[in-house]
């Protein structure tokens, strides 16, 4: 088959299979570290080799091969390390696998331990921390599909893995506080937060109690939906200004549903149960519990002796990049932004760098050509290919105007193959000698005219701007406009 016809399918197929392997690795992550590492490594290899083919065969650039083999090896090493930590962190807590309080999920309902479906529960760990009893549960939606095939099929499509973090409390009536999507519209558009609300709440279990809607009659009702089995308790809970202020002020509560039920205060979050998630989420629950007063159970006594500060609660269990993530998340929360996990911070940083560095290199190369700082060489044209259009037997359509030739620089002769001629000036013929700028930064693109340099400058500045905005939103966010 002609490479020109097979190329797009090879590129699309490579990235599609890589995405499938990435999703497969996410499903194995935390339960089968070896399988997850293999999936991530194969995904990295496919992404690397597909990109190598695309850039080398598609654009004629010479990309060092070691870069493409180093990338999957790094991904595999990180995946193996993350899988090892995920497998061993529960053992380091000196916890137990048989819970003494709380609930377990079953088909979307929070039930007692004896009623839970063992097929859906993946990991259970209970341990004591700062005078509290904490319970972490990793579970899958649709684990038992008998009578609910659509639920199981939907759970498989969205990779329905969730973590349920619980804090033991006195037994009180049931209350569920759910953030509302689009709560800040039309003043503010929050599609990413709305997506997180939907993702987190779709798998959050509901108490097995008869619940009714409750409203406070304040602005709080715009941002949260409250259901309860006892309006008197809900009134006492939300009449406390400290509770409403905490829920309104802390971005963490803005995208997660919290519930009181059966002597447990819990929150559910999409994703596998990790050490970082366990301690970060339980800290927020302890802070909430410490602000609640109730006539039959003083919640302040639950967390009376507990240090719920970031450093005090975590006790050194701060996860990777703690020195950077701690101050950064405090700044983000002060401006009303969501805190970032280690994985989210790394992903955002990698994407920002992947946008900024190549774009900056292209922009700098273009500027050197426009300002005359790049050395100018004389290109002797040996072969040309002028793209045609509108003919029934066109063999070069879509290839652009290509030029082959040779030039001398610093006493060395260099060959040029398939130089894409982008200038609006006269297209050279075979044997012509034209001036080209040899740019200084890798990959040293050749620029044949001022118009081409200006065009490439605009192309380079676009990803630089996008990456800079992403980095700014990540590391130096500004308060949201109300």
């Amino acid at each position: 088959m002609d490479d020109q016809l097979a190329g797009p399918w090879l590129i699309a197929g490579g990235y599609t299979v890589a995405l499938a392997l990435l999703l497969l690795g996410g499903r194995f992550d935390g339960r089968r570290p070896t399988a997850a590492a293999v999936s991530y490594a194969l995904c990295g290899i496919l992404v690397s080799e597909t990109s190598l083919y695309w850039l080398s065969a598609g654009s004629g650039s010479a990309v060092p091969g070691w870069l493409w083999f180093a990338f999957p090896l790094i991904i595999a090493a990180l995946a193996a390390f993350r899988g090892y930590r995920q497998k061993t962190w529960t053992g380091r807590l000196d916890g137990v696998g048989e819970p003494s309080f709380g609930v377990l999920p079953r088909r979307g309902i929070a039930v007692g331990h004896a009623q839970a479906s063992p097929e859906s529960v993946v990991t259970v760990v209970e341990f004591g921390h700062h005078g509290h009893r904490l319970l972490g549960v990793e579970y899958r939606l649709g684990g038992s599909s008998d009578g609910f095939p659509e639920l199981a099929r939907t759970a498989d499509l969205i990779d329905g893995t969730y973590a349920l973090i619980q804090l033991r409390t006195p037994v009180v009536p049931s209350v569920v506080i759910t953030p509302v999507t689009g709560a800040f519209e039309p003043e503010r558009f929050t599609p990413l937060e709305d997506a997180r609300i939907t993702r987190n709440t779709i798998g959050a279990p509901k108490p097995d109690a008869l619940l009714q809607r409750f409203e406070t009659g304040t602005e709080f009702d715009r941002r949260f939906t409250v259901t309860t089995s006892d309006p008197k308790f809900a009134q006492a809970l939300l009449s406390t200004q400290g509770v409403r202020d905490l829920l309104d002020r802390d971005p963490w509560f803005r995208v997660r549903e919290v519930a009181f039920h059966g002597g447990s205060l819990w929150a559910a979050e999409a994703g596998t149960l990790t050490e970082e998630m366990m301690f970060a989420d339980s800290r927020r629950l302890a802070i909430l519990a410490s602000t609640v007063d109730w006539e039959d159970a003083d919640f302040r006594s639950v967390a009376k002796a507990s240090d719920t500060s970031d450093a005090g609660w975590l006790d050194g269990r701060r996860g990777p990049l703690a020195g950077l993530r701690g101050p950064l998340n405090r700044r983000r929360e002060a401006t009303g932004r969501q805190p970032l996990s280690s994985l989210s911070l790394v992903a955002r940083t990698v994407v920002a760098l992947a946008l900024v560095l190549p774009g900056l290199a292209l922009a700098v190369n273009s500027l050197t050509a426009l300002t005359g700082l790049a050395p100018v060489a004389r290109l002797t044209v040996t072969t040309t290919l002028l793209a045609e259009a509108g003919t029934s037997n066109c063999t070069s359509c879509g290839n652009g105007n290509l030029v082959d030739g040779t030039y001398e620089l610093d006493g060395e002769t260099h060959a040029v193959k398939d130089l894409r001629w982008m200038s609006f000036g006269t297209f050279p013929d075979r044997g012509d000698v034209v001036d080209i700028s040899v740019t200084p930064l890798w990959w040293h693109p050749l620029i044949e005219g001022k118009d081409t340099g200006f065009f490439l400058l605009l192309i380079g500045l676009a990803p630089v701007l996008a990456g800079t905005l992403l980095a700014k939103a990540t590391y130096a966010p500004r308060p949201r406009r109300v």
Side-chain angles (χ1 to χ4, degrees), residues 340-427:
L340 297 176
S341 66
S342 299
L343 186 60
S344 296
L345 180 58
V346 170
R348 282 170 171 250
T349 303
V350 169
V351 171
L353 290 176
L355 290 169
V356 169
L357 294 181
L360 189 60
L362 181 57
V364 170
N365 280 332
S366 302
L367 283 174
T368 60
L370 290 171
T371 58
L373 295 177
V376 177
R378 303 282 288 171
L379 175 67
T380 302
V381 178
T382 57
T383 306
T384 63
L385 176 62
L386 184 61
E388 302 175 28
T391 60
S392 60
N393 59 349
C394 177
T395 59
S396 60
C397 294
N399 288 333
N401 300 324
L402 304 180
V403 170
D404 295 348
T406 60
Y407 68 91
E408 288 189 6
L409 185 66
D410 297 331
E412 295 185 15
T413 301
H414 301 268
V416 176
K417 178 70 174 176
D418 292 338
L419 170 63
R420 191 176 297 273
W421 194 269
M422 301 174 62
S423 175
F424 291 104
T426 303
F427 186 70

Side-chain angles (χ1 to χ4, degrees), residues 205-339:
K206 300 297 185 288
D208 58 343
L210 183 61
L211 304 178
Q212 57 181 300
R213 179 74 178 268
F214 175 81
E215 294 185 351
T216 65
T218 66
E219 185 68 13
F220 182 84
D221 298 331
R222 178 187 178 187
R223 293 184 286 273
F224 295 92
T225 298
V226 181
T227 54
T228 180
S229 63
D230 185 347
K232 183 180 178 181
F233 173 67
Q235 176 67 35
L237 173 68
L238 296 174
S239 64
T240 305
Q241 188 65 34
V243 173
R244 294 206 308 270
D245 286 346
L246 175 65
L247 295 175
D248 281 334
R249 182 183 70 253
D250 193 332
W252 186 90
F253 292 98
R254 208 163 60 215
V255 296
R256 294 169 180 84
E257 181 178 272
V258 295
F260 296 87
H261 177 70
S264 173
L265 169 60
W266 76 66
E269 185 167 353
T272 57
L273 178 65
T274 63
E275 184 177 16
E276 183 179 334
M277 181 190 296
M278 181 78 225
F279 283 93
D281 289 11
S282 61
R283 172 176 168 262
R284 290 319 207 289
L285 297 178
I287 293 174
L288 176 59
S290 68
T291 62
V292 177
D293 282 318
W294 174 239
E295 59 188 12
D296 296 327
D298 184 4
F299 271 67
R300 293 187 188 278
S301 65
V302 175
K304 183 177 181 180
S306 176
D307 181 3
T308 55
S309 66
D310 189 34
W313 182 264
L314 297 179
D315 283 340
R317 298 182 179 90
R318 307 182 67 184
L321 306 176
L324 173 63
R325 208 165 36 83
L328 172 61
N329 280 337
R330 285 193 289 273
R331 290 199 304 270
R332 291 181 62 84
E333 290 168 14
T335 59
R337 307 289 176 145
Q338 292 296 325

